[in-house]
Amino acid sequence: MHGLTTRTRSAPGRPRTVPLTAAVVALLGTAGCLGSSSYAAPGDICGVTVSADVLRPLLPTGEKLGADAADLGKGSLVCKIHVDDALALYLRTDLAPPDTDPVQVRRRELDRYGHPAAISVGDQGRVADSGALATALCRRQGTDRKVIVEAHVPGDLPEDVPQRREDLTRFIGAYLPAVQKSLGCAG
């Protein structure tokens, strides 16, 4: 079985590699196929548990899957998923003050992702041709914050862009509550 390896990096620290256990990996042979991929679609992405079914449509075929995670400090985390050493999915999570308008803050990225439109995910969800963004309240340790998640699929657009937008909407809709849970957000 080909597993997923995650390298983590913190702002003041050095990169390190952390193998993920088979318990958090859903085999493609069990859950369906992704072209001729021989890697397993993870059920855990850089410490956030998501269904392989919502992740799989965003990943290309290939042999090897890996991920790099970086803590940027001040509540910002980046996770880059690679297939055969090429960036396949970029994920970013930010904890921001509750009055932050992430759609305005991330406007340039959303426009670059192509034709952003509102979606019914979280408090402010947007989907574009190659990316998505969603936000929700995160109450932790008596403090209100806004959790902002962003997903971007780099590279050329597929022939079926409406399907890509549906896949991104499904993914970000599952990823946002999973991030809230991983952060220990209440209410």
Side-chain angles (χ1 to χ4, degrees):
M1 172 176 86
H2 296 277
L4 174 68
T5 301
T6 303
R7 292 185 306 245
T8 59
R9 179 178 56 210
S10 60
R14 294 179 175 218
R16 62 188 172 101
T17 300
V18 181
L20 297 178
T21 65
V24 296
V25 177
L27 292 177
L28 286 175
T30 304
C33 291
L34 176 67
S36 61
S37 294
S38 64
Y39 63 79
D44 182 298
I45 308 170
C46 299
V48 177
T49 302
V50 294
S51 167
D53 290 337
V54 298
L55 176 62
R56 188 178 303 107
L58 300 178
L59 299 178
T61 59
E63 298 294 319
K64 185 177 75 170
L65 184 70
D68 292 324
D71 181 351
L72 304 177
K74 298 185 180 183
S76 294
L77 304 167
V78 169
C79 177
K80 296 177 182 178
I81 298 175
H82 305 272
V83 173
D84 297 339
D85 297 322
L87 182 61
L89 182 63
Y90 171 90
L91 302 169
R92 181 175 177 135
T93 300
D94 293 293
L95 278 175
D99 60 345
T100 301
D101 183 348
V103 173
Q104 288 306 316
V105 171
R106 305 298 290 172
R107 170 65 53 205
R108 188 176 343 176
E109 287 80 6
L110 287 168
D111 287 344
R112 186 171 44 97
Y113 296 160
H115 311 101
I119 54 173
S120 296
V121 174
D123 298 330
Q124 285 182 294
R126 297 290 186 275
V127 69
D129 296 344
S130 66
L133 176 134
T135 69
L137 180 65
C138 179
R139 178 168 284 149
R140 289 182 0 165
Q141 303 164 345
T143 303
D144 285 344
R145 305 285 287 174
K146 186 175 281 187
V147 63
I148 305 163
V149 294
E150 179 181 348
H152 170 60
V153 181
D156 295 333
L157 290 176
E159 288 183 27
D160 192 350
V161 173
Q163 182 62 52
R164 164 67 62 82
R165 292 171 72 97
E166 287 179 31
D167 294 339
L168 279 162
T169 300
R170 213 172 7 267
F171 174 78
I172 206 80
Y175 191 64
L176 177 62
V179 167
Q180 287 178 284
K181 182 178 179 181
S182 76
L183 292 173
C185 299

